[in-house]
Amino acid sequence: MSLLELKNLQVTYGSGARAVPAVRGVDLTLAAGQKLGIAGESGCGKSTLALALLRLLPASAQLSGEILLDGEDILSMRWGRLRAVRWAGASIVFQGAMHSLNAVHRIGDQIAEPILLHQKATPAVARKKVGELLQQVGLPVARADAYPHELSGGQRQRVMIAMALACAPRLIVADEPTTALDVMIQAQILRLIEQLVAEQDISLLMISHDLAVLADTCDRLAVMYAGRIVEEGPARTVYDSAQHPYGRALSDAFPRIGDIGSRRAPRGLPGDPPDPAALPTGCTFHPRCPVALDICTDADPELVSAGDTHQAACVHVGAAVEKQL
């Protein structure tokens, strides 16, 4: 059985005529021990999806579908059960560590809080566990007495990872965990996450706008646009041979080492993702698509096979499959 399974997950903000769809019918599966990346530009629904997994969205958000964690639906859980699942079953590493940490509490106390709450540990046992967690993420035990402002950006992100690991969850959701860091520290944090996930047999769902980072870190990769998954498959396959025009545009936006042409003239994509409150008819990507056809304005295509365990939602992919048949 899959550790995490999303079935027709939909998230809207507001209600009635003013309802704004942020996530539109997402289906995803994450196996135990697997690393799944979700890529897309800002405004495509990635963070809304991440927050929906543990029902951390504001009261204005309406959720439907299913979010199955170990076969148990997060959306139908009572508050007490949901509170127990957070941290102990699944935890989240947010992108802004300074905004997530409490500025007036020492980091050791903040890491200890979920241990005391969920594992009913004594203060002495919690302090010992905090020291072990800090060492796991490459920080001296003495930093437990520091306040968040006394740490660098990379150190604060390591603290967030230590907090996420505090109650030994089976799933970690990392939402843009390295966005605010410089390149060298970003590489260190990514290697740290990979190492800890492998050592502790944790499943990872990582969200980023950087396709190259996800391709290097994850087993599988899903590309999200305008609240939907438009491509999904093995990470290197999607990065190297994306079949959806949006997936190709994201991949081409990053220069490749050794490719002089891409370094001198990286290809971008004009325009921005559509406003969720005013989605275009048909394929939501067609106003920006360089290979759009007239039929692209008729309906939003569903995911179809683009190869072994690889899917893409594009009429060009569907036409290619029909020709092969």
Side-chain angles (χ1 to χ4, degrees):
M1 184 172 62
S2 301
L3 175 65
L4 177 69
E5 189 173 1
L6 309 184
K7 295 183 178 181
N8 193 30
L9 177 63
Q10 303 193 48
V11 181
T12 59
Y13 292 104
S15 59
R18 303 183 66 181
V20 176
V23 175
R24 303 183 298 126
V26 167
D27 295 288
L28 279 175
T29 300
L30 178 63
Q34 190 178 55
K35 297 172 289 185
L36 172 66
I38 299 181
E41 296 168 281
S42 297
C44 285
K46 306 185 305 300
S47 291
T48 293
L49 178 65
L51 294 173
L53 296 181
L54 287 175
R55 281 170 46 189
L56 295 172
L57 292 168
S60 60
Q62 307 295 319
L63 286 78
S64 64
E66 292 181 286
I67 304 173
L68 302 178
L69 182 64
D70 265 334
E72 192 174 1
D73 190 2
I74 296 289
L75 299 186
S76 62
M77 285 181 183
R78 294 182 178 273
W79 170 243
R81 175 57 183 155
L82 178 62
R83 190 167 181 259
V85 167
R86 292 172 177 170
W87 294 102
S91 58
I92 296 183
V93 179
F94 296 103
Q95 58 179 300
M98 194 62 185
H99 302 296
S100 301
L101 295 171
N102 192 319
V104 298
H105 289 285
R106 300 179 191 274
I107 64 164
D109 295 334
Q110 296 185 58
I111 299 172
E113 184 177 3
I115 301 172
L116 293 168
L117 177 64
H118 289 281
Q119 298 185 342
K120 309 299 182 184
T122 65
V125 170
R127 281 195 300 271
K128 181 180 178 182
K129 180 67 174 178
V130 168
E132 294 171 353
L133 287 165
L134 288 174
Q135 289 180 322
Q136 280 184 350
V137 299
L139 288 176
V141 176
R143 302 307 279 165
D145 293 327
Y147 290 95
H149 71 273
E150 297 177 308
L151 304 178
S152 68
Q155 289 175 325
R156 287 194 293 267
Q157 203 63 41
R158 289 171 185 266
V159 171
M160 288 296 299
I161 295 170
M163 291 178 68
L165 295 170
C167 295
R170 296 192 62 199
L171 170 66
I172 288 182
V173 180
D175 185 7
E176 303 270 12
T178 61
T179 296
L181 307 177
D182 62 63
V183 175
M184 293 297 292
I185 301 301
Q186 173 179 283
Q188 292 176 16
I189 295 298
L190 289 173
R191 295 290 83 79
L192 173 63
I193 291 174
E194 279 190 284
Q195 177 186 343
L196 293 172
V197 166
E199 289 177 352
Q200 302 186 28
D201 195 28
I202 299 171
S203 295
L204 173 69
L205 192 150
M206 180 179 285
I207 293 172
S208 178
H209 61 277
D210 192 329
L211 215 66
V213 164
L214 294 177
D216 190 45
T217 306
C218 299
D219 305 312
R220 297 189 65 79
L221 178 57
V223 178
M224 196 168 185
Y225 187 78
R228 291 188 66 215
I229 301 299
V230 297
E231 185 160 7
E232 193 269 338
R236 292 308 311 186
T237 300
V238 174
Y239 180 61
D240 294 331
S241 306
Q243 296 300 301
H244 193 283
Y246 183 60
R248 288 197 295 270
L250 287 181
S251 180
D252 290 342
F254 297 93
R256 285 171 165 77
I257 296 175
D259 185 346
I260 297 177
S262 69
R263 188 177 73 241
R264 292 178 176 173
R267 287 168 285 181
L269 184 66
D272 298 296
D275 182 347
L279 294 173
T281 58
C283 175
T284 51
F285 184 62
H286 86 262
R288 305 172 71 191
C289 182
V291 293
L293 304 173
D294 290 341
I295 60 172
C296 295
T297 62
D298 295 339
D300 218 356
E302 298 296 324
L303 288 166
V304 296
S305 175
D308 188 24
T309 70
H310 184 188
Q311 301 178 89
C314 179
V315 295
H316 292 282
V317 176
V321 171
E322 289 179 3
K323 288 180 180 179
Q324 292 174 5
L325 298 175

